[in-house]
Amino acid sequence: KGLPLMKTVISLCVASLTLLAATPAAAAEAFPTKPLRIFTVLPAGTDGYVRAVAGKLGDLLGQPVVVENRVGAGGVIAAQATSSAPPDGHTLIVLAAAFLVSKNMNPGLAFDPVGDFSAVAKIYGGSSSMLLVRPESPAKNVEGLLALAKANPGKFTYGVGGIGGQPHLSAASLLAITGTPATHIPFKTQNDVALALLRGDVDFTILATTTSLPLVQTGKFRVLAVTSGNRVRAFPEVPTLREVFKNDLLVQETWSGLAGPARMPQEIIRRLHGE
């Protein structure tokens, strides 16, 4: 009597294990079951590449992919909304390289920029920034700008969007390496910074190249240098900061990647990554 009972128990165990093993695959096959959301810290109008990715991803997944602009607080609002969402692949976020150092910038963050997220894919890379001044600025090059700052200690200001982003770190690095005093004034978005520079509220800014190009091309600002490793094709006459100061630390480019909450099933991550 004991042998048939044992066989029955073993069969039930094997069946249970088989069901457990099949569960993630079944979940992956069912994914997605509803529209997806992608949070971005970029303001509307500067998120074109995110919307392009979302549109194509929606076509491939067979579900709408909605982009939600969660601007402000250095990306904290969007990050918290993502990290607290169910890890089922339906809530994603576009993260920039600077996000990885956000805990160093703000130790009080309620989340871990690495441990609380599941990396999915890199979707944009190699983006740099431009150092901009108003056309009427007496600074015709970076050396001239820094000379003005040193001649006006405590009065010279620069504005960037947020704290800890690539433009902010680029400006802070430039000032630290050259021993130049200037006051940092943070703004909510890059658009706010551009308006502040236009009004003369700040003396210079460093803005993402994608934002800067139309402003420079229409004559609203003068570009003095770029933060990339190589010169920007649209302005071959503009030097890189590395060229001017012979320091590799002034090469600062960024990338963007798609991520979801921690503990997303690997099958769903692979599906999203593959698409």
Side-chain angles (χ1 to χ4, degrees):
K1 290 180 180 179
L3 188 58
L5 179 60
M6 184 176 293
K7 287 181 177 179
T8 301
V9 171
I10 291 173
S11 298
L12 288 171
C13 289
V14 170
S16 299
L17 290 172
T18 302
L19 180 62
L20 288 173
T23 299
E29 288 174 6
F31 173 81
T33 60
K34 58 184 179 181
L36 281 71
R37 296 184 300 171
I38 296 181
F39 294 131
T40 175
V41 301
L42 296 172
T46 65
D47 57 354
Y49 78 95
V50 178
R51 293 184 180 276
V53 169
K56 186 63 177 177
L57 188 60
D59 292 341
L60 294 169
L61 293 174
Q63 285 281 359
V65 179
V66 180
V67 176
E68 294 189 19
N69 303 88
R70 297 290 183 96
V71 181
V76 171
I77 297 173
Q80 288 182 331
T82 305
S83 63
S84 62
D88 57 9
H90 293 91
T91 301
L92 304 170
I93 186 173
V94 176
L95 298 178
F99 182 77
L100 299 179
V101 301
S102 57
K103 193 77 171 180
N104 301 80
M105 303 292 293
N106 181 9
L109 281 181
F111 58 86
D112 179 351
V114 178
D116 288 347
F117 297 87
S118 300
V120 172
K122 179 181 175 182
I123 59 174
Y124 185 80
S127 176
S128 61
S129 297
M130 291 182 162
L131 194 161
L132 306 175
V133 295
R134 292 185 301 282
E136 61 271 22
S137 170
K140 305 303 179 185
N141 50 44
V142 183
E143 298 94 327
L145 180 71
L146 299 183
L148 281 172
K150 291 177 180 178
N152 295 277
K155 298 179 181 178
F156 217 72
T157 61
Y158 71 97
V160 292
I163 297 175
Q166 186 252 317
H168 179 206
L169 296 180
S170 292
S173 298
L174 172 64
L175 296 171
I177 287 169
T178 59
T180 304
T183 301
H184 168 221
I185 300 179
F187 291 85
K188 188 175 182 180
T189 70
Q190 294 195 79
N191 290 341
D192 295 331
V193 178
L195 290 173
L197 185 59
L198 279 172
R199 292 191 301 264
D201 295 342
V202 294
D203 294 296
F204 76 95
T205 187
I206 293 184
L207 284 182
T209 298
T210 51
T211 304
S212 302
L213 278 174
L215 298 172
V216 175
Q217 289 169 334
T218 56
K220 289 183 173 61
F221 297 131
R222 181 192 306 136
V223 54
L224 302 184
V226 295
T227 68
S228 51
N230 300 302
R231 296 191 178 197
V232 175
R233 190 173 302 173
F235 295 96
E237 72 283 1
V238 176
T240 68
L241 289 175
R242 177 172 63 179
E243 284 180 66
V244 177
F245 299 102
K246 306 297 187 289
N247 192 316
D248 287 342
L249 293 176
L250 293 173
V251 177
Q252 297 200 24
E253 299 177 331
T254 191
W255 49 260
S256 293
L258 207 59
R263 298 176 299 281
M264 275 173 53
Q266 287 298 314
E267 290 77 10
I268 290 178
I269 293 175
R270 280 194 288 269
R271 172 78 192 283
L272 288 168
H273 180 85
E275 301 295 12

